[in-house]
Amino acid sequence: MQPSADSLQIGNYIGALLQWRELQSSYDAYFSVVDLHAITVAQDPAELREKTRRTAAQYIAAGIEPSLSTLYVQSHVRAHAELAWILSTITGFGEAGRMTQFKDKSSRYGADSTSVGLFTYPVLMAADILLYQTDVVPVGDDQKQHVELTRDLAERFNSRFGETFTVPMPVIQKETARIYDLQNPTSKMSKSAESDAGVLWMLDDPAKSAKKVMRAVTDNEGSVRFDRENKPGVSNLLTIYAALTGRQVAAIEDEYAGRGYGDFKKGLAEVVVNEFEPVRARALELLDDPAELDRILAENAARADAVADATLSDVYDRVGL
Ligand code: ADP
Ligand code: NA
């Protein structure tokens, strides 16, 4: 994830962290906070450094175990930037220009506010993946095109210079719950939303989150029933409830049948508080002990560095550098 806010939001937790937590015991997993990606748009240096540490602390607090996974800050491993340069020399200009995420973002920012780094972002992402001889990349639909580019680059490099990279497979994550803004339940909850009235922050005081749940937009029907089309607000709350408790939506509907939204929201507020109280406490504890957090990140970066450096040395050799 990019370190683009002081706190992650519960969509990041449900849509990403919970899945990653599952993967870490069966895979040799690498998770990073991608600060090099973040600087493709302007960042305040001190804020960037702070957001990076906070994001890492929240990964750990949410259950990404530095002993089961390699959890590091992208810029701590220099090989990312170096491999990205080499890969950029075998990437077609037209090929990079076809990336839909770039087309979307650059048309929003305008040509003069679009950096070359934003254009080559997918090449850096390819380096992120290929450095670790990665077999599988769990991604959402929106990142599939970037993983396809990564595969093309790996195959191209291998055929030009000899077998060097594992060609990774994208694994489109099992339909993960998509969480919507509590005040605007047809748009995705996001840490970069313009207003945070409908955003549940992982690091917020639980009482504040409970209040936001109580104020969530619903409808006039008064029945707790999942209907994404006609009842987006209630459906979103049901999705959050189910994701955090591991219960089926139908069972939650049954529990609240004949009861009003007030009761339902109170129930959900309790679920949210119970889930995030310990996560928040752990994150704050890590942030209160910067030396310990830095030690964990340095140790993990060293582990990542050893693997990445072996790949990069091989690449330099083969290219003639
Ligand atoms: P944000 O919009 O909060 O900045 P990102 O686009 O950086 O989030 O996504 C980081 C991770 O969190 C991705 O794996 C993404 O799929 C997941 N994610 C982000 N928002 C949501 C959401 N509202 N519901 C489910 N998953 C989400
Ligand atoms: Na593991």
Side-chain angles (χ1 to χ4, degrees), residues 91-113:
T91 307
F93 190 78
E95 187 177 34
R98 283 192 291 277
M99 296 295 115
T100 57
Q101 193 175 73
F102 172 74
K103 287 197 274 188
D104 289 351
K105 286 191 180 170
S106 58
S107 69
R108 260 187 284 138
Y109 302 159
D112 286 338
S113 312

Side-chain angles (χ1 to χ4, degrees), residues 236-255:
N236 186 38
L237 298 181
L238 276 165
T239 305
I240 297 170
Y241 204 125
L244 295 182
T245 57
R247 292 174 60 192
Q248 298 293 319
V249 166
I252 303 163
E253 287 173 335
D254 283 351
E255 181 182 340

Side-chain angles (χ1 to χ4, degrees), residues 24 148 179 226 269 316:
Q24 64 183 342
E148 285 305 327
I179 308 304
F226 191 94
Y316 268 52

